[in-house]
Amino acid sequence: MNNSNSSGAGTGRKVGGALTIEPVADILEREIQPLIKDWLSRVEREPELAAIPLSYEERTGHLPHLLQDVIARLRLDAGSKAPISKAAAHHGDLRHKQGYTVAMAVEESRLLQVSIFTMLHENVKNLEFNALLPDVVTIADEVDAQLKEQMLRFMAADIAASKAAKSN
């Protein structure tokens, strides 16, 4: 019997009356939907981001894929290089088409890290502490690598648009 409770800081996850210690990747995977909800709430409180009118799917549809890439990276052997995130590349293209600026994409990425780390704090009693700091570094590195890929695609779209405008 699994009873998950992530409603407050330090709440534990108990299995059969005992507290369950979990790897960060498992907690992220279990908490994807509440994490997306938290991220969306943070995004909606940012006037610049909220000013772009998007549906729930348009605003959050990329997150399960990006978060799965983070989870996969956490589960790689230490020292393994993660593949470039195809989801991040697609997201960069999408946000460019939706009218985002580079600063807006960076802000979304920052809010994703805040949401992830807040969720980990809320599950602190379940965390494997010996892996926590290396996992936090891995999460930050992966989210930043995704942001880099998004920005590369974003800039490529800007260059293409500029060339198209000059040829007209």
Side-chain angles (χ1 to χ4, degrees):
M1 174 170 99
N2 288 352
N3 292 326
S4 175
N5 180 355
S6 61
S7 62
T11 61
R13 182 167 186 246
K14 294 186 177 189
V15 176
L19 201 58
T20 301
I21 302 302
E22 300 173 275
V24 168
D26 290 358
I27 293 171
L28 274 176
E29 193 166 56
R30 174 171 47 82
E31 297 290 330
I32 280 181
Q33 290 310 313
L35 178 57
I36 291 170
K37 189 176 180 181
D38 178 73
W39 175 86
L40 181 60
S41 146
R42 291 174 191 279
V43 166
E44 289 174 339
R45 290 192 306 261
E46 292 297 324
E48 187 179 26
L49 297 175
I52 302 280
L54 298 173
S55 69
Y56 176 84
E57 180 58 32
E58 290 168 328
R59 179 104 44 211
T60 65
H62 67 289
L63 281 176
H65 305 288
L66 294 181
L67 290 168
Q68 285 301 326
D69 286 349
V70 171
I71 291 164
R73 173 87 184 272
L74 286 166
R75 290 182 173 148
L76 283 175
D77 291 334
S80 296
K81 184 152 172 70
I84 292 172
S85 171
K86 290 179 180 152
H90 174 70
H91 181 58
D93 290 338
L94 179 65
R95 287 300 192 242
H96 186 271
K97 289 176 189 165
Q98 292 170 332
Y100 270 58
T101 64
V102 167
M104 293 165 79
V106 169
E107 181 65 3
E108 271 195 349
S109 181
R110 185 188 72 76
L111 293 173
L112 179 59
Q113 287 190 58
V114 169
S115 292
I116 290 171
F117 297 139
T118 299
M119 184 271 308
L120 291 176
H121 178 73
E122 290 171 352
N123 285 274
V124 70
K125 288 186 178 182
N126 298 95
L127 292 171
E128 268 185 273
F129 281 105
N130 62 340
L132 180 59
L133 286 177
D135 284 351
V136 165
V137 169
T138 298
I139 290 166
D141 185 59
E142 178 62 22
V143 173
D144 287 347
Q146 290 176 2
L147 178 60
K148 177 184 175 184
E149 186 61 25
Q150 290 173 35
M151 293 304 92
L152 289 171
R153 294 295 286 265
F154 204 96
M155 290 183 303
D158 272 348
I159 291 167
S162 178
K163 285 181 181 178
K166 285 179 184 177
S167 68
N168 287 339

